[in-house]
Each structure stands twice: as structure tokens, then as C-alpha cells.
């Protein structure tokens, strides 16, 4: 049984976002036996980040805001897959979803969600959702997730949703098939050239330029064994990727020396 956390970022608990997320859940269960928990961000107390940077520099345990963010983080950590469903609000995710992301911004520095599937779903009235999907794919990838291409649904009113139910279901079924494959994969994917290059740039820089400001990042990378690994996790890099990794290491070392 796979565990999935569906995070719903709509402030409306009976809106179209949750409806589409639940339809997606039903489709997932056609491919894989999954226990899906629907988590409404609006039910949790999540304070707005004050920008103190304590989580980035010293560690998330130094965040002065005491609220429900760690409950949500743990739900993500315990899941095999995450569905992140948000309405399009002013060409972005809803404000509550963005507040949630900001509170976990330290994960950009210290990614931790490896070998977990991630899929975004956007529901909108008219326009702009495609670029939100891009943003969410990028965010998931930075946080370490195995990212599945999400979907955007343009549904201005409930009438349209009713009329389009079959079409929506067909699209969700396609995405659910891919999501289930990633969810049940034995190993995380071999990284793309871009992801590999980024990892090697960052880790070689940390290794050779231990920042006094970002101590926690240095310690985290060291503890994970990333100063000596090919990638975040064990993976089979072909010859070309190994060469690219070495080039990134060299380039980053030069930058670190310049910085020193
Ligand atoms: C504050 C606000 C901003 C919105 N901005 C956009 C937008 O930029 N583009 C768009 O296509 N729809 C926009 N919409 C429409 C919603 O995305 C759409 O109604 C969606 O279904 C709302 O999700 P819900 O049904 O779960 O509440 C906006 C709605 C609200 C309330």
C-alpha cells in the first residue's frame, strides 16, 4: 500500500480544486493500491515567513514561528507521493500555498524528499496555469522529489466542470498512470544533465568554501556523504554524465577559490 498526501491549497473546501484532486485520487487507485490523505492547508495554522533566515543559516529548528508547519512537513516526509493542488490566484498558486512553500524554503538548501513522487494540479478560471505548473515542477525538483508532469484545468464555473467531467477524467487518468509508475519505481530516476550539473556545482562549492553564514548547509551535505558522492543518491551515470559531473566540479572549484 502506497501512502499519498494530497495537499489542497484552495481556501474553499467545496471548490473545484478539491474536486479535481479527489477525482485524481480515484484515478490513482485504478493503478495502485494507495491510501490518500487529503490535507487542506486552510485547516492548519501556518504563519507567514518573517524573513529572519534562521532556518536557512542555522537550521529549521531555530524558526521562531511555532505553528503547524512541522505537522505538514512530517506528512510529506511520511508519504510515498505528494499531490499539490492549488487554484490559480493572480497567475500564481494561492497565497496560503505560497506561505506554506516559503516556510519550507530551507528545503531548497537541504533537499530531503528523494524517492518520493510529486505531481502538481492547477485549477483556474481562465488563464495562466501552465506557467504555475512549470514553477511547481521546478520547486518539486529542487526539493528532491521525482517530479511527474502535472495538469492544469480551466474551469470558470461549476457548469463547465460538469460538462467537461469526461474530458477531465481522461486527462487525470493519463497523469495517474504516470504518477503510479513513479510511485512504484524501485529506484529514483537517473538525473538529467541539468540536475546533475546543479548538484555538482552546489556540493563542490560547499565542500571547498565552507560558509560561515550557511553552516547548516555545509554540515548537512557532509552528513549525507554528498561531498564524495556522484549525486544525491546512488545512481548509474553513463560516461557522458560522469564527464559532465567532473566539468561541473572543476568549474565550481574555480569559483570557490575565487570566492576565498
Ligand atoms: C483571488 C482570485 C484570483 C484569481 N486569479 C485567477 C487568475 O489569475 N487566472 C485564472 O485563470 N483564474 C483566476 N481565478 C479563478 C480561480 O482560479 C478559479 O475560480 C478556481 O476554480 C478557484 O478554485 P476553487 O474552486 O477551488 O476555489 C482567481 C480567483 C480568485 C478568487
Amino acid at each position: 500500500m502506497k501512502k499519498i498526501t494530497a495537499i489542497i491549497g484552495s481556501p474553499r473546501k467545496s471548490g473545484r480544486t478539491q474536486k479535481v484532486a479527489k477525482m485524481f485520487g480515484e484515478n490513482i487507485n485504478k493503478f495502485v493500491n494507495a491510501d490518500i490523505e487529503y490535507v487542506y492547508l486552510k485547516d492548519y495554522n501556518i504563519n507567514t515567513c518573517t524573513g529572519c533566515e534562521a532556518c536557512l543559516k542555522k537550521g529549521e529548528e531555530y524558526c521562531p514561528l511555532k505553528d503547524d508547519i512541522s505537522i505538514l512537513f512530517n506528512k510529506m516526509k511520511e508519504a510515498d507521493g505528494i499531490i499539490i493542488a492549488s487554484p490559480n490566484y493572480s497567475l500564481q498558486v494561492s497565497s496560503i500555498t505560497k506561505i506554506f512553500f516559503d516556510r519550507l524554503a530551507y528545503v531548497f538548501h537541504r533537499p530531503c524528499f528523494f524517492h518520493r513522487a510529486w505531481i502538481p494540479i492547477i485549477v483556474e478560471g481562465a488563464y495562466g496555469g501552465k506557467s504555475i505548473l512549470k514553477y511547481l515542477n521546478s520547486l518539486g525538483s529542487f526539493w528532491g522529489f521525482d517530479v511527474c508532469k502535472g495538469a492544469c484545468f480551466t474551469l470558470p464555473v461549476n457548469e463547465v466542470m460538469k460538462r467537461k467531467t469526461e474530458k477531465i477524467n481522461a486527462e487525470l487518468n493519463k497523469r495517474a498512470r504516470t504518477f503510479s509508475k513513479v510511485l512504484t519505481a524501485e529506484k529514483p530516476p537517473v538525473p538529467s544533465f541539468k540536475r546533475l550539473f546543479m548538484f555538482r556545482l552546489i556540493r563542490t562549492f560547499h565542500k571547498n568554501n565552507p560558509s560561515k553564514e550557511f553552516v547548516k548547509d555545509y554540515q548537512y551535505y557532509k552528513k549525507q556523504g554528498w561531498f564524495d558522492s556522484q549525486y544525491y543518491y546512488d545512481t548509474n551515470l553513463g560516461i557522458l554524465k560522469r564527464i559532465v559531473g567532473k566539468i561541473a566540479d572543476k568549474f565550481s572549484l574555480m569559483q570557490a577559490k575565487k570566492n576565498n
Side-chain angles (χ1 to χ4, degrees), residues 90-109:
S90 311
L91 307 179
Q92 244 304 343
V93 290
S94 66
S95 48
I96 189 171
T97 309
K98 182 61 167 56
I99 288 169
F100 168 65
F101 290 154
D102 288 348
R103 291 293 305 288
L104 297 177
Y106 64 87
V107 185
F108 281 99
H109 283 236

Side-chain angles (χ1 to χ4, degrees), residues 24 150-153 166-176:
F24 186 52
C152 172
F153 298 94
E166 241 173 72
K167 213 172 150 201
I168 297 167
N169 241 324
E171 178 72 20
L172 288 171
N173 192 273
K174 232 170 48 190
R175 306 292 174 195

Side-chain angles (χ1 to χ4, degrees), residues 8-18 40-43 85-89 93-97:
I8 318 260
S10 172
R12 287 204 301 170
K13 283 178 86 169
S14 55
R16 289 178 285 276
T17 307
Q18 61 85 30
Y40 295 86
L41 289 180
K42 76 162 286 195
D43 287 346
S86 172
N88 172 350
Y89 271 13
V93 290
S94 66
S95 48
I96 189 171
T97 309

Side-chain angles (χ1 to χ4, degrees), residues 94-161:
S94 66
S95 48
I96 189 171
T97 309
K98 182 61 167 56
I99 288 169
F100 168 65
F101 290 154
D102 288 348
R103 291 293 305 288
L104 297 177
Y106 64 87
V107 185
F108 281 99
H109 283 236
R110 304 185 291 278
C112 62
F113 292 115
F114 302 104
H115 207 18
R116 288 175 181 78
W118 165 272
I119 189 159
I121 289 176
I122 294 294
V123 177
E124 66 180 2
Y127 165 81
K130 293 248 163 71
S131 60
I132 308 175
L133 280 183
K134 256 193 187 166
Y135 157 69
L136 291 173
N137 287 338
S138 174
L139 185 144
S141 171
F142 272 113
W143 285 9
F145 284 103
D146 302 339
V147 174
C148 299
K149 211 173 140 204
C152 172
F153 298 94
T154 307
L155 309 165
V157 285
N158 289 335
E159 248 340 282
V160 172
M161 180 153 188

Side-chain angles (χ1 to χ4, degrees), residues 40-99:
Y40 295 86
L41 289 180
K42 76 162 286 195
D43 287 346
Y44 291 82
N45 177 25
I46 318 169
N47 288 303
T48 309
C49 171
T50 59
C52 73
E53 297 189 353
C55 65
L56 302 180
K57 292 175 176 168
K58 290 199 287 177
E60 57 274 27
E61 63 277 23
Y62 289 91
C63 176
L65 303 172
K66 300 298 167 221
D67 54 21
D68 294 340
I69 196 71
S70 55
I71 300 176
L72 293 164
F73 175 83
N74 289 337
K75 282 185 187 296
M76 287 167 80
K77 213 61 217 282
E78 284 157 16
D80 301 298
I82 302 292
I83 300 164
I84 181 87
S86 172
N88 172 350
Y89 271 13
S90 311
L91 307 179
Q92 244 304 343
V93 290
S94 66
S95 48
I96 189 171
T97 309
K98 182 61 167 56
I99 288 169

